[in-house]
């Protein structure tokens, strides 16, 4: 399966999706999150990072652009890099911070506002599109790789989705 769409009726549903995604990640994956301000990108990421075993506070990396979290992925110590590129000013800012190197076979990279770094980012394994629908949200996930497709296939059988 390379495509999955569902309705998230409330924030708890967004959090359930984040948690579920956390359990179906593999090292090296990257996920791009799309959607307007307030669509739920950080909500989703926060619950994903907590479900992957990080117990501290997960803030939106609005000014730092990126924040690393030590987590467990498939029982192995790993790092989730959470990017929010909304305030990225130039390509130099991205490359000089060494962000490009974070997209490697070990890390999981989750990127809010990937559009701001067009041409600098490698293609992700998964695209997640969030949009407001009534009081809730609609979410569409699209897989672009073998890893992304495997992730979506296992999500399909998750009990809470
Ligand atoms: N499924 C949902 N239904 C209704 N409200 C939701 C849902 N999921 C998240 N929310 C709410 O929507 C808001 C999402 O805020 P969040 O900071 O996650 O947005 P964002 O997409 O990261 O925005 P930004 O682009 O500013 O970083 C929060 O107030 C959260 O409670
Ligand atoms: Mg955000």
């Amino acid at each position: 399966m390379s495509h999955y769409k569902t309705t998230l009726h409330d924030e708890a549903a967004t959090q359930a999706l984040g948690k579920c995604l956390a359990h179906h990640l593999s090292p090296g994956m990257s996920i791009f999150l799309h959607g307007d301000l307030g669509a739920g990108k950080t909500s989703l990421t926060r619950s994903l990072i907590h479900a992957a075993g990080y117990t501290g506070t997960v803030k939106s990396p609005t000014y730092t652009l990126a924040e690393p979290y030590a987590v467990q992925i498939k029982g192995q110590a790993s790092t989730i890099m959470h990017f929010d590129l909304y305030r990225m000013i130039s390509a130099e800012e991205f490359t000089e911070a060494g962000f490009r190197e974070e997209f490697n076979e070990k890390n999981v990279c989750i990127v809010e506002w990937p559009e701001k770094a067009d041409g600098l980012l490698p293609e992700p394994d998964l695209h997640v599109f969030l949009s407001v629908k009534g009081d809730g949200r609609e979410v569409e996930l699209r897989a672009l790789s073998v890893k992304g497709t495997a992730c979506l296939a296992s999500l399909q059988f998750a009990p809470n989705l």
Side-chain angles (χ1 to χ4, degrees), residues 52-68:
Y54 181 78
T55 52
T57 306
V58 176
K59 291 191 194 138
S60 189
T62 310
Y63 294 98
T64 52
L65 302 187
E67 201 62 43

Side-chain angles (χ1 to χ4, degrees), residues 44-57:
L44 183 81
T45 307
R46 185 175 288 128
S47 56
L48 185 158
I49 291 170
H50 283 146
Y54 181 78
T55 52
T57 306

Side-chain angles (χ1 to χ4, degrees), residues 18 41 64 75 90 119 124 144 149 159:
K41 302 179 292 297
T64 52
S90 64
L144 277 76
T149 304

Side-chain angles (χ1 to χ4, degrees), residues 108-139:
V108 168
C109 288
I110 301 181
V111 188
E112 297 186 41
W113 294 102
E115 301 79 7
K116 304 274 177 179
D118 255 355
L120 294 171
L121 300 174
E123 192 171 79
D125 297 282
L126 271 184
H127 282 297
V128 177
F129 300 90
L130 284 156
S131 54
V132 174
K133 188 186 179 193
D135 290 339
R137 303 287 185 270
E138 189 162 78
V139 66

Side-chain angles (χ1 to χ4, degrees), residues 137-153:
R137 303 287 185 270
E138 189 162 78
V139 66
E140 187 176 342
L141 296 98
R142 277 184 187 277
L144 277 76
S145 70
V146 173
K147 275 183 182 175
T149 304
C151 178
L152 279 199

